[in-house]
Amino acid sequence: MERFPHLLAPLDLGFTQLKNRVLMGSMHTGLEDVRGGFPKLAAFYAERAKADVALIVTGGFSPNFKGRLHPLGAQFSHTRHVRQHRILTEAVHQHGGKIALQLLHAGRYAMHPFAVSASGMKAPISRFAPHQLSDRGIRKTVADFAHSAELAREAGYDGVEIMGSEGYLINQFLCQRTNQRYDDWGGSSQNRMRFALEVVKAVRARVGRDFIVIFRLSMLDLVEQGSQLEDVISLAQRLEKSGVTLLNTGIGWHEAQIPTIATQVPRGAFSWVTERLRQHVSIPVIACNRINTPDVAESILAAEQADMVSMARPFLADPDFVAKAKAGKPETINTCIGCNQACLDHVFVMQRATCLVNPQACYETELILQPAVQPRSIAVVGAGPAGLSAAKAAAQRGHRVTLFEKEAALGGQFRLAMSIPGKEEFKETIRYFDVQLDLLGVKRVMRHCATVDDLSLFDDVIVATGVKPRIPDISGITHPKVIDYQTLIRDKPQLGNRVAVIGAGGVGVDVASMLSEPAPLSLEGWLLSWGIDHGLTHGGGLCPPEQYSPKRQVWLLQRKPGKMGRGPGKTTGWIHKKTLEKRGVKMLSDVVYKHIDDEGLHILIQGQPQCLPVDHVVLCSGQQSVDELSTPLAHKGVAVHVIGGAELAGELDAKRAIRRGVELAAQL
């Protein structure tokens, strides 16, 4: 019996059929914007099409210059673009897949001075105030959307997705927050819908009936003055009448102060929103956001909350997601952990996207694991992220790999990280490597500290022995109330009700989050904690967040002056900081540590002495590399390679560690 019957069932669209219920959601990779990027992008899409994704949606392409995300951003509006894009469509069709072009006009989110919008209101996340579109400008923009859709068909696309959510131009027309016009394009909700409907009608008229038109509908804006549920339903029904084939879900604007896709968000947290809309339309509705396993997708479809599921980052993590589900082997899937560190964090600083757990994503033509010409015997010492990555990649090439680990279990720093509330997904990466090492025949030597004698007969030794906490030079640092973060997370000792955390990098923020974590929340509780209206009675889906009393007082301290919480990530750091603020964590910067004694932690704040009356002090003040093997092995003439934290401690960086493991294995 098929394990995922709903997920793998075909979907009949009338004029065409999709092979299953999986849509690979739009992801801007950065390859869309650079010279020579299209062949690499074609290889990226081809890998996913080959593994049975039913329908791929590209990253966003603007229908005109003013709609570009940045001055050199992706645009699709000329016949020369048709020739370029045929590389993409042919690569997907060669493997029996379907592909749609996303048409995205940035509106006031454009990072250039030519930005336009429904009204001349600057976005809080943009440097530029937009110009208000005139009636003529609006009609010209509608025509540009239609023209680009017609060119997309000529380029071989099977459809287009019209981006009407996430706070981009069409969404800006829909909401009072950004539409303060008093003409036929503003005012009443019916007038505010007009731009979206005119775009769809114009597109459908130009592409014909046998072409997929997806509309990305903002079902939950999560901003003040956002759309009401009745407006969303009314728009969806009118979009259906105007010729939309599929309705895709959009959750939250980019300026919203609520997490929607980060690892802290529960799996499938917004499928209930899609369910509320689905009963009011007859065309298929697509659920999205934090759907990262076949089981989650199957449960959403089986419960009739949606007709399809959209997954984007899970296809960065594993191009073979669908094929592995189809084979009944979901345990072999490299699961997206929602970290954002190599995808969104890269894109928002105009770097190429990739994936922390799969550094080959978007590097399919560059980071290649070819079969080894001459297999070698390779020892990997340390089963943290770097060691696991190197062992798996080396074995994948055909090398004979032995993995040494002093602990009883795999994972290293990742095993510690998965104990942090909101980072439970990290266990999926350890599970993936565990399964892959068995499938690839990697020999394991656990609970054993590898010696020089153990390693001297191998052709190559990869030292990935990780890090240990750095102990700062503070008077009283050996006081019984002091504990380092590794001991805290690993041994879980009972701490008092007043705790100071020294160090506000990624580790310090994680520890402060763990120490201030309330009792586990249900989905309803999580939604309320962030002020999300499950009843959808408030505009934008917002309601006053639920308040709760912290279980202990936590101080998060850093030596540096200025803002805190920069370490955890560009697109997730604000989530951590806001979470800590809600829990009453006191965050102090520009701190000088004096000494620790029975009274507590004595510090200086802007030169003023203060004693924090804490029961415990947790050290998160950095790491030191652990490498006692490379020098003696090199003296014996053994080829030694040092990677991960053993090579460079600094702030813990699993992205760098995993990538370095694959790069090294590709060279051996």
Side-chain angles (χ1 to χ4, degrees):
M1 179 179 175
E2 200 169 64
R3 185 166 172 181
F4 306 106
H6 297 87
L7 182 67
L8 299 173
L11 180 62
D12 188 1
L13 300 179
F15 58 88
T16 190
Q17 188 177 79
L18 302 181
K19 63 175 74 173
N20 53 55
R21 303 302 177 101
V22 179
L23 179 139
M24 178 174 138
S26 175
M27 289 180 286
H28 200 78
T29 67
L31 292 170
E32 299 87 351
D33 308 326
V34 298
R35 184 182 297 274
F38 273 65
K40 298 173 184 178
L41 193 59
F44 170 71
Y45 290 143
E47 284 294 307
R48 281 78 190 160
K50 192 189 329 181
D52 280 337
V53 174
L55 178 59
I56 294 170
V57 179
T58 70
F61 287 83
S62 176
N64 56 36
F65 175 78
K66 291 180 179 179
R68 290 184 180 188
L69 283 165
H70 54 84
L72 300 178
Q75 183 176 336
F76 185 89
S77 58
H78 300 289
T79 53
R80 67 176 181 273
H81 296 144
V82 170
R83 293 190 297 275
Q84 294 173 337
H85 281 249
R86 282 190 181 132
I87 300 173
L88 307 183
T89 59
E90 289 171 3
V92 171
H93 292 156
Q94 182 181 353
H95 297 289
K98 287 184 169 60
I99 183 168
L101 176 79
Q102 187 185 77
L103 293 175
L104 182 155
H105 191 299
R108 71 175 193 160
Y109 282 171
M111 294 179 282
H112 54 71
F114 306 104
V116 294
S117 185
S119 299
M121 302 168 62
K122 179 179 174 294
I125 59 174
S126 176
R127 292 165 44 200
F128 301 98
H131 304 282
Q132 177 173 304
L133 277 167
S134 65
D135 180 82
R136 180 180 178 184
I138 292 172
R139 295 180 188 279
K140 174 67 167 59
T141 304
V142 169
D144 289 341
F145 270 97
H147 177 61
S148 292
E150 184 177 36
L151 291 177
R153 178 158 194 156
E154 186 179 337
Y157 283 102
D158 302 283
V160 292
E161 178 176 79
I162 299 169
M163 176 48 113
S165 68
E166 266 77 358
Y168 292 111
L169 180 68
I170 293 175
N171 213 172
Q172 291 161 24
F173 269 88
L174 290 169
C175 290
Q176 287 182 324
R177 177 183 181 86
T178 44
N179 186 342
Q180 298 186 356
R181 306 174 71 98
Y182 296 97
D183 59 5
D184 291 341
W185 304 96
S188 69
S189 62
Q190 298 302 308
N191 280 0
R192 296 197 307 274
M193 292 178 193
R194 185 181 171 199
F195 180 63
L197 294 170
E198 290 298 324
V199 168
V200 169
K201 291 174 185 175
V203 166
R204 179 55 78 190
R206 295 286 280 273
V207 299
R209 305 305 303 176
D210 58 342
F211 192 70
I212 298 171
V213 176
I214 310 166
F215 191 90
R216 185 80 173 266
L217 176 64
S218 185
M219 299 190 192
L220 204 59
D221 293 326
L222 300 180
V223 291
E224 298 291 341
Q225 294 182 292
S227 296
Q228 300 278 352
L229 174 62
E230 54 266 32
D231 294 335
V232 175
I233 293 172
S234 175
L235 175 59
Q237 292 171 334
R238 296 180 69 180
L239 288 168
E240 179 179 356
K241 291 178 182 177
S242 299
V244 165
T245 316
L246 298 163
L247 284 170
N248 199 2
T249 302
I251 301 292
W253 287 31
H254 287 311
E255 63 201 70
Q257 289 295 296
I258 294 173
T260 57
I261 61 172
T263 189
Q264 298 91 338
V265 179
R267 290 180 176 180
F270 298 102
S271 56
W272 56 274
V273 181
T274 310
E275 183 180 22
R276 291 286 295 273
L277 177 71
R278 185 174 181 266
Q279 57 192 298
H280 296 283
V281 294
S282 58
I283 56 176
V285 176
I286 306 166
C288 72
N289 286 47
R290 287 289 285 128
I291 302 168
N292 66 342
T293 71
D295 292 288
V296 173
E298 178 71 15
S299 66
I300 290 170
L301 296 169
E304 298 186 345
Q305 292 183 302
D307 303 283
M308 289 188 75
V309 290
S310 172
M311 293 176 280
R313 295 171 303 163
F315 287 106
L316 284 172
D318 197 329
D320 299 318
F321 184 104
V322 179
K324 290 175 178 178
K326 191 174 179 180
K329 297 180 179 179
E331 70 280 359
T332 64
I333 292 174
N334 195 1
T335 304
C336 169
I337 60 175
C339 68
N340 291 356
Q341 291 180 35
C343 50
L344 292 182
D345 281 1
H346 281 207
V347 169
F348 276 85
V349 294
M350 297 177 66
Q351 295 177 2
R352 189 193 313 188
T354 182
C355 180
L356 181 145
V357 300
N358 175 27
Q360 290 178 278
C362 298
Y363 287 83
E364 285 79 8
T365 63
E366 296 156 90
L367 187 51
I368 303 171
L369 295 174
Q370 298 280 15
V373 176
Q374 183 64 48
R376 301 167 66 83
S377 63
I378 298 175
V380 179
V381 186
L388 291 172
S389 171
K392 181 249 179 185
Q396 201 172 334
R397 294 194 59 210
H399 293 302
R400 301 181 300 277
V401 180
T402 301
L403 177 64
F404 293 87
E405 169 56 46
K406 66 179 181 178
E407 303 293 343
L410 305 176
Q413 293 289 326
F414 249 45
R415 184 161 291 277
L416 294 179
M418 76 184 197
S419 300
I420 302 296
K423 289 195 171 182
E424 295 86 356
E425 292 284 13
F426 283 46
K427 70 179 183 294
E428 299 289 359
T429 303
I430 299 173
R431 180 264 312 151
Y432 168 74
F433 279 119
D434 192 11
V435 171
Q436 291 298 318
L437 295 184
D438 279 348
L439 291 174
L440 293 166
V442 173
K443 180 182 177 182
R444 308 186 199 192
V445 182
M446 307 298 289
R447 292 193 176 115
H448 180 71
C449 286
T451 65
V452 172
D453 288 341
D454 292 328
L455 304 170
S456 58
L457 295 179
F458 286 90
D459 296 324
D460 292 87
V461 175
I462 300 173
V463 177
T465 41
V467 298
K468 62 182 179 181
R470 186 180 69 83
I471 306 302
D473 184 16
I474 301 173
S475 175
I477 199 67
T478 59
H479 194 282
K481 65 175 59 179
V482 178
I483 186 172
D484 69 81
Y485 75 90
Q486 286 190 354
T487 303
L488 171 69
I489 298 171
R490 183 181 61 244
D491 299 343
K492 298 178 174 58
Q494 284 292 110
L495 296 191
N497 291 324
R498 296 167 300 179
V499 181
V501 178
I502 292 180
V507 175
V509 169
D510 280 350
V511 167
S513 177
M514 180 179 74
L515 294 174
S516 61
E517 176 76 3
L521 297 174
S522 63
L523 175 58
E524 178 74 19
W526 182 85
L527 295 170
L528 287 174
S529 75
W530 281 98
I532 301 172
D533 176 18
H534 193 257
L536 296 180
T537 56
H538 296 74
L542 295 179
C543 65
E546 188 175 77
Q547 302 297 316
Y548 52 86
S549 300
K551 64 180 181 181
R552 60 165 58 94
Q553 180 60 64
V554 177
W555 287 265
L556 180 61
L557 313 172
Q558 72 175 20
R559 290 183 186 272
K560 296 177 182 178
K563 293 182 179 180
M564 304 180 71
R566 293 180 176 178
K570 295 177 178 62
T571 61
T572 55
W574 69 270
I575 302 173
H576 297 285
K577 186 177 180 183
K578 190 168 183 179
T579 297
L580 297 180
E581 288 172 348
K582 291 196 305 176
R583 296 176 182 174
V585 173
K586 295 183 178 180
M587 292 177 271
L588 304 177
S589 59
D590 200 10
V591 174
V592 176
Y593 306 108
K594 299 303 290 182
H595 64 275
I596 301 165
D597 59 20
D598 290 344
E599 292 183 16
L601 173 60
H602 296 263
I603 60 175
L604 294 178
I605 298 287
Q606 296 180 343
Q608 298 299 311
Q610 186 175 342
C611 178
L612 305 181
V614 296
D615 304 304
H616 287 91
V617 176
V618 182
L619 301 180
C620 303
S621 47
Q623 298 79 33
Q624 292 176 307
S625 296
V626 176
D627 173 18
E628 300 174 353
L629 293 170
S630 61
T631 299
L633 284 169
H635 287 159
K636 279 182 166 285
V638 178
V640 184
H641 317 272
V642 184
I643 63 173
E647 178 187 24
L648 179 64
E651 185 68 31
L652 295 179
D653 190 347
K655 177 182 70 173
R656 172 175 53 81
I658 291 175
R659 185 173 194 86
R660 181 69 182 117
V662 176
E663 289 175 339
L664 174 60
Q667 297 164 7
L668 294 177

